[in-house]
Amino acid sequence: SDKDSVLSLVSDGQKRAFNLDDNMEMKRYGGISLSPSGKYLISGYSYFNHNGQTIRESRITEVATGRILRNDAAGIQWMPNSDRYYQVKDKDGKKNLIVTDITTGKEVILAKELPTDQITISPTEDYLIYNIFTEGPKKQEGVYEISHPDDRQPGFRDRYTLGIYYLKTGIAHPLTYGYHSTYLQDISHDGKYILFSVSGDSIMKRPSELRSFYRMDTSTMQSEKLIDNEGFCDRVSFYPGTTDKILAH
């Protein structure tokens, strides 16, 4: 019957119809990540609250039992070599990198006053790569200026570059600079090399969005181009356990 076909759920011990609030406020999982030992799982999810705000959170569970160990803020990630997770927390306007031991709950400040919270820790855990955001020049009032067809889109003039932060010394410096945005693709297992992409475009042919891919030696800062102005490759990564073989996606 039509009554039996109505979607329902049990709330506070009572069966009721599934309504619009349930649909809006249900948790939507956006990604999962296993700890290096495979014993624990981070699940990231989001939902809308009654005020119409988007809430993003993370949950850590024990894989073998399904037991929930912690509910935490969004943005937590596993350290590369141990069952510890990290997140960047703001305190007094400063961004600190906090590492938490999943078994003891002990927190340690690994780095202070980071330039941004968009970071990737190297597999060797001795440095991290961070994103540098540069806001593009504003358009002049009364002047209709279009430097590119996509210049009509918000944020087109903004740029992203890469920097490196050494965890032992706290020294940081840029790795890339220039007109085109650069993005981290991967870090080799020994931490010696990184792969990054440089965004480009072409209005004369499709696809109009192009990417070039480079490998950089983190000790000498020398780079070599691997793929030039490719429109059908979105990402590259190191073949596991190697530094001279890459996978193109």
Side-chain angles (χ1 to χ4, degrees), residues 54-121:
T54 300
I55 308 299
R56 292 180 172 85
E57 297 178 344
S58 298
R59 173 179 294 170
I60 301 179
T61 55
E62 190 175 41
V63 173
T65 63
R67 182 167 58 99
I68 299 175
L69 302 179
R70 289 190 66 124
N71 284 308
D72 216 317
I76 63 175
Q77 299 183 60
W78 294 114
M79 292 291 288
N81 298 318
S82 60
D83 287 344
R84 300 181 299 161
Y85 66 90
Y86 68 89
Q87 61 189 140
V88 178
K89 292 184 177 181
D90 288 331
K91 184 177 181 180
D92 300 328
K94 299 177 181 178
K95 302 180 186 299
N96 297 329
L97 177 60
I98 310 297
V99 178
T100 305
D101 190 305
I102 188 61
T103 56
T104 64
K106 182 180 179 180
E107 294 185 350
V108 176
I109 299 177
L110 193 60
K112 296 181 178 180
E113 299 184 32
L114 291 175
T116 177
D117 57 1
Q118 300 180 34
I119 65 171
T120 302
I121 297 179

Side-chain angles (χ1 to χ4, degrees), residues 20 27-28 30 32 110 122 128 134 162 173 201 213 221 229 241 248:
L20 183 59
K27 293 180 180 178
R28 295 168 172 82
I32 59 174
L110 193 60
S122 71
L128 59 85
T134 302
L162 299 174
H173 63 78
D201 57 72
F213 298 91
M221 304 301 159
N229 286 335

